[in-house]
């Protein structure tokens, strides 16, 4: 069964800590995405990547960075966590073209609490 | 950036009732997608629409791509308790191959047995 795997389902961190959220997909997808989900706001795009070592800012990139050293892995980094980054973080991937292009497959999510 | 207005924000219905939700935008989209998120999980694709006017069904679910390309609706017939969750619409505009979707705010569905 193909999937997107987020290694941490629940994390609790302190203000100022550096946080890494890892995501791995086994579908050989070119595109990978990080969203955050907050009640009443839907899903907001933080960063995306369309190739190894490539990254593009989404709608809310402030306070975040990303890394894509391998095609299957896309990491979200919070350099100095703040309480307003408490949220559900969703990783997703998609094909660049062909059948099903641009249809996102999501991971189960990582719920981060910053104290 | 682009925005999608999804309504209603929440629905409380009895088992067996039909459900309707919709998304509207001031921008044109070339693809409309509908996702469902079960509690504690990531969103899962329900229906994808690629052509204006397209009407597509998936079991008890029916979705349509509005003729103006600025709206879409999702209907669920004869709801059951496992329909509970958050439903999201998402639109993809032209000019990108990166799958950068715009999402609606979500509709929270509660089904009472």
């Amino acid at each position: 069964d193909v999937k997107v795997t987020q290694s941490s389902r629940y994390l609790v961190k302190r203000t100022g800590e550096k946080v890494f959220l890892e995501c791995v997909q086994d579908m050989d997808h070119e595109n990978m995405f990080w969203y955050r989900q907050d009640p009443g706001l839907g899903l907001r795009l933080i960063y995306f990547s369309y190739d190894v070592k490539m990254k593009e800012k989404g709608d809310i990139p402030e306070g975040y960075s990303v890394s894509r050293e391998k095609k299957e892995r896309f990491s979200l980094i919070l350099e100095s966590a703040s309480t307003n980054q408490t949220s559900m973080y969703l990783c997703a991937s998609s094909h660049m073209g062909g059948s099903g292009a641009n249809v996102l497959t999501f991971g189960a999510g990582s719920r981060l609490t910053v104290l | 950036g682009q925005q999608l207005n999804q309504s209603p924000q929440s629905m409380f219905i009895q088992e067996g009732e039909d459900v309707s939700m919709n998304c509207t935008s001031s921008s044109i989209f070339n693809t409309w997608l509908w996702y469902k998120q079960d509690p504690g999980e990531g969103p899962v694709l329900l229906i994808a629409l690629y052509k204006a006017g397209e009407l597509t069904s998936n079991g008890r679910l029916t979705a349509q791509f509005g003729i103006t390309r600025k709206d879409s609706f999702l209907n669920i017939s004869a709801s059951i308790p496992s329909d509970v969750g958050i439903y999201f619409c998402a639109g993809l505009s032209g000019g990108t191959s990166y799958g950068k979707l715009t999402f609606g705010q979500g509709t929270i569905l509660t089904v009472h047995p």
Side-chain angles (χ1 to χ4, degrees), chain A residues 9 31 33 35 37 40-43 45 48 50 57-59 90 94-96 100-108, chain B residues 1 9 31 33 35 37 40-45 48 50 86 88 92 96-106:
Chain A
R9 292 296 304 270
N31 306 326
F33 306 81
Y35 288 86
Q37 180 180 10
L41 297 178
L43 277 64
L45 182 63
F48 66 102
Y50 53 89
K57 292 180 180 179
D59 300 318
L90 291 164
S94 69
H95 267 307
M96 182 75 77
N102 302 318
V103 173
L104 300 183
T105 299
F106 284 89
Chain B
Q9 290 189 351
T31 297
L33 306 173
Y35 285 85
Q37 184 178 29
E41 299 296 329
V44 173
L45 182 69
Y50 297 104
I86 305 176
F88 291 101
L92 179 70
T96 175
S97 60
Y98 303 149
K100 186 170 174 283
L101 297 173
T102 300
F103 281 85
Q105 303 95 327

Side-chain angles (χ1 to χ4, degrees), chain B residues 21-39:
Chain B
M21 59 191 79
N22 68 83
C23 274
T24 60
S25 173
S26 57
S27 304
I28 288 174
F29 290 98
N30 292 330
T31 297
W32 283 94
L33 306 173
W34 284 91
Y35 285 85
K36 182 197 176 194
Q37 184 178 29
D38 289 326

Side-chain angles (χ1 to χ4, degrees), chain B residues 41-95:
Chain B
E41 299 296 329
V44 173
L45 182 69
L46 296 174
I47 291 179
L49 302 159
Y50 297 104
K51 195 174 165 183
E54 181 181 353
L55 184 72
T56 297
S57 293
N58 178 7
R60 294 179 295 108
L61 277 61
T62 302
Q64 183 157 30
F65 189 145
I67 198 73
T68 65
R69 294 185 166 186
K70 295 183 178 181
D71 62 335
S72 178
F73 72 77
L74 175 71
N75 287 343
I76 306 172
S77 63
S79 59
I80 59 178
S82 62
D83 290 334
V84 163
I86 305 176
Y87 291 79
F88 291 101
C89 62
L92 179 70
S93 56

